[in-house]
Amino acid sequence: MPVILGRIPEKKARPPRPITRRWLIFGAAVLISGMGLTFLFWQGERTVPGFWLFAVVLPILLWGSMFSARRAGYKYQCVGQDKANRTINARHATDKGRGQRFAWFVGEFLVNALECEHKPTQKAAITKMPILQPVMPRRAKKPVRHSRLPGGESASDMLASLQAELNGRITKLMDSLPPAMTCFLALDVEEDLPVLSLSGLPEISQPVIRIRDLSGLRILDYWLDQHYEKPSALLVISAQLNDMPENDSGEAISVMLMTNCRLKDTPPVSARLHRPQMNHSGDMGHALRHAMLWAGLEKNIPLRGWMTGGTLTSSDALSSACENYAPELTAQRYVNIDAVAGFAGVAAPWQALILATRQCLADREAQMVVIESSSDFQQLCAVTPE
């Protein structure tokens, strides 16, 4: 469940304080009216105590009771306002604390056209050395500008050829976890691909629980919400292989492991993956501001951005949001992954998160990942050094 601070009501304003000057004027008017009416309608002697009771004392008592009732009502409203604001502040603090949950990076494994040539994707993306070129897809009759994994007559064959290596790398990653730690597993795979075979997982000593029916960084968001109280790990395996790809697309297989607590063997130089911000409103400023808030990042902190999907790098909305909330994230600090390796579909969020984590570990600088899965849906996630 995403954290939406906008659902929390605004703080209640202080009730209007009674204006003493107006009440004094009103008191004088009540006294004059009482004396006037008493002088006008009094039938007996005007020197008896009863006359002065009706002329002076009764108006003063009437005005005093009204003024006291108004002051009592004001105090009652103040107490209610203070109690409501304390509740709102507590709810805001609770939701902010829940929003600022983060995961510790444990390990990753990325396969794409660059990695297969032993070229670190993050360095190629920063130096703008694209691997996109016209290639013949596996099941198409004309070349497409695409970055394809070598080998395999179909996506299924490609997965089968990599299965042993994937299982070995997954097993190695899982060995870094304590034997009793529960591991949540999510498969984020392109719809046309067959289900990955996880034959290596039964050899792992940790209990494994599947997360189903979620995709993209929603998986991380859900895990941080629902499984943060007890120590656990999250293993995400994502794959995008295209037998009939579109132009400027790419293939990637990624494996990422993280925990919700610091492990005993976590190296001193580590990275934290913060809660992602899901944006359906089209308000990029709102999304960036909250992604910065979840990571506890100040406005003027040095920041590098990793963009994938849509037209993010040329978006005026993103530029305006950065000017207002992250002025250090200039156009020169954007890294357009798609221009180098192509858009990796369902694997794009995890590929971008892996690249940002690698760079965060290398230069000890905060990173911001921005993924545009569709024109009306963006995912933002910050990665910060320890």
Side-chain angles (χ1 to χ4, degrees), residues 8 44 59 82 84 212 238 285 296:
I8 301 175
D82 289 340
R212 304 176 186 271
S238 183

Side-chain angles (χ1 to χ4, degrees), residues 163-164 166-168 170-171 195-204 237:
Q163 189 67 59
L166 280 173
N167 286 342
I170 292 170
T171 302
V195 177
L196 288 169
S197 172
L198 301 175
S199 57
L201 285 182
E203 302 174 6
I204 306 300
I237 304 172

Side-chain angles (χ1 to χ4, degrees), residues 44-116:
E45 282 290 330
R46 294 181 178 178
T47 58
V48 297
F51 172 81
W52 295 108
L53 174 66
F54 282 96
V56 178
V57 177
L58 187 61
I60 292 176
L61 290 176
L62 180 62
W63 172 83
S65 62
M66 295 173 66
F67 181 72
S68 299
R70 175 67 182 91
R71 289 290 299 181
Y74 168 71
K75 292 296 184 181
Y76 178 79
Q77 288 179 319
C78 288
V79 170
Q81 181 249 355
D82 289 340
K83 182 179 180 181
N85 284 347
R86 285 196 300 271
T87 302
I88 291 171
N89 288 337
R91 183 178 172 187
H92 190 279
T94 300
D95 279 16
K96 182 180 176 181
R98 189 164 60 90
Q100 291 184 332
R101 293 174 178 177
F102 61 87
W104 290 96
F105 171 74
V106 177
E108 49 85 5
F109 175 47
L110 177 64
V111 179
N112 60 24
L114 281 161
E115 299 288 328
C116 287

